[in-house]
Amino acid sequence: METLNKNGVSITQTPGEEKYVKCCLGAFRGQIDYQYDYRHTDGELFSTLAQTLDECRKRRDEWMAKKEKVQ
């Protein structure tokens, strides 16, 4: 099984990098989801799980917009 973690740590390490994998969680029998990680340029990791890659990226963009308002 493909994963975005190694020894419990995200393998998405380069600032500005995104990685994702398709996964099928046993609890949802046959439903395909995307596990998505994005490493912000400030080093903070964003991670989510959604049914589409577009939804993952939408959530990332919303998270980034909130970060920009705080700074």
Side-chain angles (χ1 to χ4, degrees):
M1 181 169 121
E2 208 172 345
T3 181
L4 295 179
N5 299 304
K6 184 175 182 180
N7 298 325
V9 177
S10 175
I11 61 171
T12 309
Q13 294 296 318
T14 305
E17 178 182 33
E18 73 172 2
K19 289 190 180 187
Y20 56 88
V21 293
K22 285 184 181 182
C23 57
C24 181
L25 303 175
F28 299 105
R29 306 230 184 247
Q31 178 178 318
I32 302 297
D33 287 307
Y34 286 83
Q35 179 185 358
Y36 179 91
D37 281 2
Y38 172 77
R39 181 69 64 181
H40 193 279
T41 54
D42 69 5
E44 188 174 353
L45 179 68
F46 171 79
S47 187
T48 192
L49 185 70
Q51 289 185 343
T52 67
L53 186 55
D54 286 339
E55 179 62 24
C56 292
R57 289 178 174 150
K58 178 183 170 209
R59 291 177 186 178
R60 176 207 57 202
D61 292 345
E62 290 169 352
W63 173 78
M64 288 176 64
K66 287 179 186 176
K67 282 180 68 69
E68 290 174 8
K69 284 184 181 180
V70 172
Q71 295 175 351

